[in-house]
Every structure is written in structure tokens, then in C-alpha cells.
């Protein structure tokens, strides 16, 4: 009985501190390897609508996604923005400007809880040439705003976006990384690789 109680206490602690992020679902086009792997490499990131009407949180999500993808995947993320209203055009023509082949749409929900935040995300990669979905995922979790491993990262985003983002950095970063980690890698040719180096992230 004592062992059961200890296990229960540990499980309760895990739930409280959000030790595990949850990617609830993900999907990828069945023809990804033969089509989009070569064709959808240059992206724009848009967080829309930004959570709770707070643009700085939307800006944070888009910036984290752009930087993480440029550093950890072979995408060339050229732009990041956040917009207040739910999109009326699911093909994101406004973001599909010249040189952009796909739009990563982030639709987050963020709620401050105690010393941290509950965060959830619906994400989609939309192909610009026809507005079709390439990849999508849904995830959620809750984390404390303080984490010793993320002190420098938090300082970086506070410096760039202002002190209001501080409590959101760690929960947003952890959920975004777990979600974006399910994105496949596109295939870059030599010209793409040179362009990737020039991005400098």
C-alpha cells in the first residue's frame, strides 16, 4: 500500500509540473516524400489569432517557431508575424508572397495558472501553391514559468519582446518544440544550403 501511495504522489507531481508535453495528434500528407519534401522549404510563420488578445504572446510564438525551425530543421523560415483575428482565408494568400512556398499556421491557447501557464496548440503547414495542408498537429501541456535550463533563452526573448513575455517563454517554448519536432525535414539542394547559411540563425 505504501508503494502505491508513493507512486500516486509522483504521478500527481508530474501532472502538476507538466513534466511531459502531449502531442495529441499529428498527420502528414502520404505523398510528402515525393512532393512537398522538395517543394515546400521556404516558410512564413503566422500566429493567428494571438492568444487572449495579447500580441506580445503571439509574437513570442512566431519568433520561437522561426528560430527553432531555422536551427533544427532544414526549412528556410523567412518571415514571422502574429495577427489578431481568426483567419478568414485558410490558404493564407496574404502570407504567400514571392519566395514563400508554405505557411506554418500556429493557433495557440495560453492561460496563466499559478506560477506557470497552461498552453495548447493547433498547428498546420499549408502549401502556398494550392492552399493544401501538408502537415498538422495538436498538442497541450502546462509548465512552470521558471526552469533553470531556460534562463538564458528567457532573457533573450524578454530583451527582444519586452518583460510581459517573461512568464510565457518556458511553457510556450516547451510545447512548440515538442510539436515542431514532429515536422519532417525537407530536402535542400546546394543553392538552398547556401541560402540557409545566409539566414544566419
Amino acid at each position: 500500500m505504501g508503494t502505491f501511495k508513493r507512486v500516486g504522489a509522483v504521478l500527481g507531481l508530474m501532472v502538476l509540473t507538466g513534466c511531459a508535453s502531449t502531442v495529441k495528434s499529428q498527420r502528414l500528407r502520404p505523398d510528402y516524400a515525393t512532393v512537398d519534401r522538395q517543394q515546400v522549404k521556404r516558410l512564413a510563420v503566422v500566429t493567428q489569432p494571438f492568444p487572449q488578445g495579447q500580441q506580445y504572446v503571439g509574437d513570442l510564438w512566431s519568433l520561437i517557431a522561426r528560430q527553432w525551425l531555422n536551427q533544427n530543421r532544414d526549412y528556410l523560415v523567412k518571415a514571422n508575424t502574429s495577427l489578431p483575428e481568426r483567419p478568414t482565408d485558410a490558404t493564407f494568400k496574404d502570407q504567400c508572397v514571392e519566395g514563400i512556398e508554405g505557411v506554418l499556421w500556429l493557433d495557440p491557447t495560453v492561460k496563466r495558472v499559478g506560477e506557470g501557464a497552461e498552453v495548447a496548440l493547433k498547428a498546420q503547414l499549408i502549401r502556398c501553391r494550392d492552399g493544401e495542408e501538408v502537415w498538422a498537429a495538436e498538442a497541450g501541456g502546462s509548465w512552470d514559468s521558471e526552469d533553470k535550463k531556460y534562463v538564458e533563452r528567457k532573457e533573450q526573448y524578454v530583451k527582444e519582446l519586452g518583460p510581459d513575455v517573461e512568464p510565457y517563454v518556458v511553457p510556450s517554448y516547451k510545447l512548440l518544440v515538442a510539436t515542431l519536432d514532429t515536422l519532417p525535414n525537407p530536402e535542400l539542394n546546394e543553392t538552398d544550403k547556401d541560402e540557409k547559411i545566409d539566414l544566419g540563425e
Side-chain angles (χ1 to χ4, degrees):
M1 187 70 183
T3 304
F4 177 78
K5 280 184 178 172
R6 278 199 299 276
V7 170
V10 170
L11 286 173
L13 186 64
M14 283 176 69
V15 170
L16 186 68
T17 57
C19 288
S21 61
T22 309
V23 178
K24 296 170 184 173
S25 66
Q26 60 155 317
R27 55 185 180 266
L28 181 68
R29 289 184 69 87
D31 60 357
Y32 177 82
T34 55
V35 180
D36 298 294
R37 188 160 177 249
Q38 282 84 29
Q39 296 177 11
V40 181
K41 303 179 249 190
R42 290 163 182 81
L43 306 183
V45 177
V46 59
T47 301
Q48 187 177 6
F50 39 72
Q52 299 176 310
Q54 296 168 321
Q55 182 166 356
Y56 59 85
V57 181
D59 291 346
L60 174 69
W61 282 69
S62 291
L63 182 59
I64 290 171
R66 185 197 90 204
Q67 292 178 339
W68 191 87
L69 286 174
N70 280 335
Q71 292 163 2
N72 296 279
R73 287 289 185 273
D74 289 334
Y75 292 99
L76 298 98
V77 185
K78 305 287 199 134
N80 58 287
T81 189
S82 65
L83 299 167
E85 305 297 332
R86 185 155 288 284
T88 53
D89 173 18
T91 63
F92 293 92
K93 287 188 182 73
D94 288 349
Q95 309 297 328
C96 285
V97 296
E98 187 176 345
I100 299 294
E101 298 156 347
V103 173
L104 177 65
W105 173 32
L106 306 176
D107 180 6
T109 307
V110 178
K111 181 183 173 188
R112 286 294 308 274
V113 177
E115 297 298 309
E118 284 181 7
V119 286
L121 175 64
K122 293 179 183 176
Q124 260 186 316
L125 178 57
I126 308 294
R127 191 164 62 198
C128 279
R129 64 181 163 82
D130 56 8
E132 289 291 312
E133 177 188 287
V134 175
W135 163 93
E138 289 190 35
S142 61
W143 290 269
D144 286 341
S145 296
E146 298 299 325
D147 188 320
K148 289 176 185 173
K149 294 178 187 171
Y150 292 82
V151 171
E152 287 180 17
R153 199 174 298 282
K154 190 194 289 189
E155 286 173 359
Q156 171 205 333
Y157 288 116
V158 167
K159 187 176 179 182
E160 194 154 346
L161 298 170
D164 289 340
V165 303
E166 192 268 339
Y168 301 102
V169 172
V170 172
S172 302
Y173 193 90
K174 288 182 176 180
L175 187 68
L176 266 167
V177 169
T179 308
L180 297 177
D181 203 37
T182 70
L183 257 174
N185 247 331
E187 187 175 302
L188 301 185
N189 58 37
E190 290 307 312
T191 304
D192 299 333
K193 288 174 185 175
D194 290 342
E195 193 177 335
K196 178 85 171 166
I197 291 166
D198 289 341
L199 273 176
E201 279 192 326

